[in-house]
Amino acid sequence: MKIGPLEVWPPVVLAPMAGITNAPFRVLCREQGAGLFVCEMITTRALVERNPKTMRMIRFADSERPRSIQLYGVDPDIVGRAAKMIAEEGLADHIDLNFGCPVPKVTRRGGGSALPYKRNLLRRILRAAVANAGALPVTMKMRKGIDDDHLTYLDAGRIAVEEGVAAIALHGRTARQHYGGVADWEAIRRLKEAVTEIPVLGNGDIWSADDALRMVAETGCDGVVVGRGCLGRPWLFRDLENAFNGGDERARPTLGEVADTMARHAEGLTECFDIERYAIADFRKHVGWYLKGFTVGADLRRELATAESLEGLRASLAKLDRDQPWPPNTDTPRGKSGERDRVHLPDGWLDDPYDCVVPEDAESDISGG
């Protein structure tokens, strides 16, 4: 799969996930298999203002190539400035634009999955990003639309082609669906049929490498984007590489191997955050994902999920049954799920799908979604 000048094989992308896809997690995933591994969502305003936290978030490990940054922005001028900054300062090798985030604090500003409804504003943002990115490929990730009455993905796909976007990823859910229900792979197929000039990647409900192969077979998409399926399971990327290369081998680590990965993950976060107690607190959310399906007593699970130091975490990990085999039937949903009653939007957002008005205070200075 070619994304501009980048040759990506296997055709697999790690979806940017707020609070998850920082450098330590990306390194663990990249060690397992090749592909594109995208950092957490970075707001364009925070980037151009050189917000210290944001500048730390775009640090990449020495081993990371190519380097991918996902930008969130609503103001075309600021998006253009951010793209130019990335290109001129060599901050990344690839820029992805976020039009898929469904969380209220993003959509109520007109960003994320709310934005493609404004067709001309979307066009201006894409044009600004591509024009200022130089030789860097610009891609976009989106959802089907705001809800079933306001679908936008086919129009957005055509606009992306016309404005020089190098590839499109579609999450087969609307913003209102959030992460609930079942992803609509048929929409991915329709987008691929409508957009033949550039790669179309599918996203949604890929819990195993076999799911990825099935998505490609059923939709004709050129590649896949994997998000929640790899939570607590970086070796999914080994499975994906084997699967796309025609192999049947699948990673089935013992609990001891999982524990070793958990320790490395926490150690990496400690180096990344600089302050150990923050790093260990951040790691706690990963514990349940790593231990999914394994037989671990409630007291030990609680001990691991409330660790306050790296030493304490290591001591608790040492109590696990290292010989316990990989549990069956764990290729199932991980992470958040559930639909929303409504999508939070700026006042009057649905009145005119073609106006280019940027909502007041649209540009957030807080990166990470």
Side-chain angles (χ1 to χ4, degrees), residues 38-328:
V38 188
C39 77
E40 300 175 75
M41 187 177 79
I42 301 299
T43 63
T44 51
R45 175 184 163 191
L47 183 63
V48 299
E49 292 180 354
R50 298 184 183 274
N51 174 281
K53 176 184 175 184
T54 294
M55 299 309 289
R56 288 195 298 270
M57 289 173 67
I58 62 171
R59 290 186 301 189
F60 291 88
D62 293 339
S63 61
E64 294 192 79
R65 287 292 186 279
R67 301 160 302 160
S68 297
I69 286 180
Q70 187 186 71
L71 295 179
Y72 154 77
V74 181
D75 187 318
D77 293 334
I78 299 178
V79 172
R81 289 167 59 193
K84 186 174 184 179
M85 178 178 168
I86 292 170
E88 291 186 346
E89 298 183 19
L91 301 178
D93 308 299
H94 159 235
I95 298 172
D96 186 52
L97 298 177
N98 181 301
F99 301 113
C101 183
V103 301
K105 68 179 179 180
V106 168
T107 59
R108 67 163 52 102
R109 295 173 181 261
S113 52
L115 198 143
Y117 183 75
K118 300 293 191 182
R119 275 71 166 177
N120 290 337
L121 181 57
L122 173 67
R123 185 182 296 278
R124 286 183 57 204
I125 290 173
L126 296 178
R127 184 173 296 176
V130 172
N132 285 280
L136 302 185
V138 175
T139 61
M140 61 182 280
K141 186 171 184 286
M142 61 182 178
R143 285 182 174 240
K144 290 168 56 181
I146 292 173
D147 53 36
D148 288 338
D149 295 323
H150 301 89
L151 298 178
T152 55
Y153 68 101
L154 293 177
D155 285 351
R158 292 312 312 165
I159 292 170
V161 170
E162 292 164 5
E163 296 303 328
V165 170
I168 312 169
L170 176 63
H171 185 157
R173 288 182 171 88
T174 63
R176 186 181 183 280
Q177 282 182 276
H178 205 64
Y179 295 97
V182 177
D184 180 8
W185 289 8
E186 179 64 18
I188 298 169
R189 184 188 66 78
R190 287 193 293 269
L191 179 63
K192 179 57 190 174
E193 290 177 348
V195 176
T196 58
E197 299 92 334
I198 59 176
V200 170
L201 294 90
N203 177 221
D205 294 352
I206 295 178
W207 310 113
S208 69
D210 295 326
D211 288 337
L213 295 182
R214 185 165 56 87
M215 175 185 278
V216 171
E218 292 181 8
T219 70
C221 66
D222 301 283
V224 298
V225 178
V226 178
R228 295 173 296 151
C230 70
L231 294 175
R233 194 165 55 141
W235 37 86
L236 176 59
F237 290 93
R238 190 193 321 171
D239 291 352
L240 289 161
E241 183 162 20
N242 287 337
F244 278 105
N245 285 326
D248 295 328
E249 183 182 353
R250 300 292 182 263
R252 295 293 182 262
T254 64
L255 183 53
E257 293 170 315
V258 172
D260 292 342
T261 300
M262 293 172 71
R264 284 193 58 211
H265 192 167
E267 290 160 4
L269 288 172
T270 301
E271 295 174 5
C272 181
F273 280 75
D274 297 326
I275 300 176
E276 183 176 316
R277 68 177 183 276
Y278 291 166
I280 300 305
D282 185 78
F283 177 75
R284 292 171 185 166
K285 62 177 173 279
H286 295 272
V287 170
W289 297 325
Y290 274 115
L291 298 181
K292 181 179 173 69
F294 284 104
T295 301
V296 179
D299 289 344
L300 182 52
R301 282 182 181 269
R302 189 179 307 109
E303 189 176 305
L304 287 162
T306 57
E308 296 183 353
S309 68
L310 193 55
E311 182 180 359
L313 178 68
R314 288 177 178 141
S316 297
L317 290 171
K319 299 177 183 179
L320 292 171
D321 175 10
R322 292 186 59 84
D323 294 327
Q324 189 176 149
W326 179 259

